[in-house]
């Protein structure tokens, strides 16, 4: 009787441990979400006046700066594999994603970013997915996922830029389209934004500058209809307001994400 009950409790604990967020991100108030909605409404995403090479260089700089903070956060979460690579694509698809081992960044997304802090927040968000082990827990589109893996595997062997390789940046081309169609729950997106905000802050970036990425994503999501970051990352006022709530917690002196 007791043994059976003990087993049931153990099963419940195991199931709980296998799903859901590990962190307790602060939920934004309804009025904060409403303000964020008004802030995003009518915004146009503006392509910045930079070449793809400049976007790539900016991404490499941001990666170099967030990497130690990613490692620290990864150790804090006691995640096993923390040595993530950055994979850059010149492709015009506005996308970024993570697969548990690498973080993938597309020129088509970076070209809309207003500053390096916004690039850092996207890299930190994607690393946050890896740190919180979302790729193994999330819903993977197996066909697209397998295809993307094959395409990336083939390209990465051939095309690694020597200047960026020193910074741990691999260079891929034409990895968009079918790539990166990992979809996560809203809960995991919130967790990645939350963990990402801590990484960005710990890397020394200004969260006031970084928050603009959620304005840009909100503006972009109105017009983009192709396979992109919006398949897996619903842009919404909740994310902007959620980021602000996380920033407030961090600026209040909290050193690490609050664990459940
Ligand atoms: Zn995400």
């Amino acid at each position: 009787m007791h043994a059976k009950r003990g087993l049931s409790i153990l099963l419940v604990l195991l199931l709980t441990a296998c799903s859901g967020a590990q962190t307790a991100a602060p939920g934004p108030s309804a009025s904060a979400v409403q303000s964020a909605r008004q802030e995003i409404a009518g915004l146009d995403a503006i392509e910045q006046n930079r070449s793809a090479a400049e976007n790539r260089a900016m991404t490499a700089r941001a990666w170099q700066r967030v990497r130690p903070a990613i490692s620290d956060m990864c150790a804090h979460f006691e995640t096993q594999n923390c040595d993530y690579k950055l994979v850059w694509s010149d492709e015009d698809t506005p996308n970024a994603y993570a697969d548990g081992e690498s973080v993938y960044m597309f020129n088509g997304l970076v070209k809309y970013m207003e500053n390096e802090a916004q690039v850092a927040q996207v890299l930190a968000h994607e690393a946050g997915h890896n740190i919180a082990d979302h790729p193994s827990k999330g819903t993977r589109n197996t066909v697209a996922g397998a295809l993307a893996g094959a395409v990336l595997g083939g390209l990465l062997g051939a095309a690694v830029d020597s200047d960026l390789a020193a910074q741990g940046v691999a260079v891929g081309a034409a990895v968009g389209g079918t790539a990166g169609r990992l979809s996560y729950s809203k809960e995991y997106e919130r967790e990645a934004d939350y963990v990402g905000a801590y990484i960005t802050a710990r890397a020394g970036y200004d969260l006031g500058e970084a928050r603009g990425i959620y304005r840009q994503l909100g503006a972009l999501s109105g017009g983009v209809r192709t396979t992109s970051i919006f398949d897996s990352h619903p842009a919404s006022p909740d994310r902007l307001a959620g980021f602000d709530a996380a920033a407030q917690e961090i600026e209040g002196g909290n050193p690490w994400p609050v664990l459940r």
Side-chain angles (χ1 to χ4, degrees):
M1 182 73 180
H2 277 164
K4 197 174 171 188
R5 190 172 159 205
L7 188 64
S8 306
I9 291 169
L10 182 65
L11 270 175
V12 168
L13 286 174
L14 281 174
L15 288 172
T16 312
C18 288
S19 62
Q22 303 173 48
T23 51
S29 67
S31 65
V33 175
Q34 181 55 25
S35 303
R37 184 169 290 117
Q38 284 168 357
E39 186 179 341
I40 291 170
L43 274 183
D44 285 322
I46 296 165
E47 202 178 317
Q48 303 295 310
N49 188 24
R50 294 183 304 256
S51 67
E54 285 168 334
N55 288 334
R56 192 177 75 173
M58 183 163 78
T59 303
R61 279 198 305 277
W63 181 246
Q64 201 169 29
R65 195 161 153 188
V66 294
R67 265 185 114 187
I70 289 170
S71 294
D72 289 350
M73 188 63 66
C74 199
H76 183 68
F77 274 71
E78 297 178 358
T79 304
Q80 296 303 310
N81 170 27
C82 296
D83 189 22
Y84 309 128
K85 303 282 181 284
L86 173 64
V87 180
W88 170 262
S89 170
D90 276 336
E91 256 197 283
D92 212 30
T93 316
N95 203 2
Y97 62 96
D99 64 1
E101 292 178 356
S102 299
V103 167
Y104 301 81
M105 190 71 133
F106 288 63
N107 184 54
L109 183 62
V110 178
K111 71 181 185 180
Y112 291 107
M113 296 186 189
E114 296 160 317
N115 54 53
E116 195 181 305
Q118 295 178 8
V119 179
Q121 175 60 21
V122 173
L123 295 171
H125 168 101
E126 296 305 337
H129 280 308
N130 286 346
I131 290 168
D133 207 20
H134 295 165
S136 66
K137 295 193 290 191
T139 311
R140 183 188 276 267
N141 178 330
T142 47
V143 176
L147 192 55
V151 171
L152 286 169
L155 281 165
L156 292 182
V160 177
D161 246 24
S162 57
D163 58 326
L164 293 178
Q167 294 168 28
V169 183
V171 179
V175 294
T178 55
R181 300 180 80 167
L182 285 170
S183 57
Y184 298 121
S185 66
K186 205 173 170 186
E187 194 183 8
Y188 285 174
E189 289 310 324
R190 173 177 286 194
E191 181 165 59
D193 280 344
Y194 180 56
V195 173
Y198 274 86
I199 292 170
T200 301
R202 294 177 75 93
Y205 286 104
D206 183 337
L207 294 180
E209 287 183 12
R211 81 186 286 280
I213 184 59
Y214 296 99
R215 289 164 49 95
Q216 295 295 93
L217 289 175
L220 265 173
S221 66
V224 176
R225 292 282 176 271
T226 54
T227 296
S228 69
I229 194 168
F230 304 110
D231 288 352
S232 54
H233 294 77
S236 67
D238 300 71
R239 292 188 70 190
L240 178 59
F243 181 83
D244 285 343
Q248 211 170 17
E249 187 179 278
I250 294 164
E251 281 153 10
N254 203 45
W256 298 103
V258 177
L259 298 174
R260 282 194 167 160

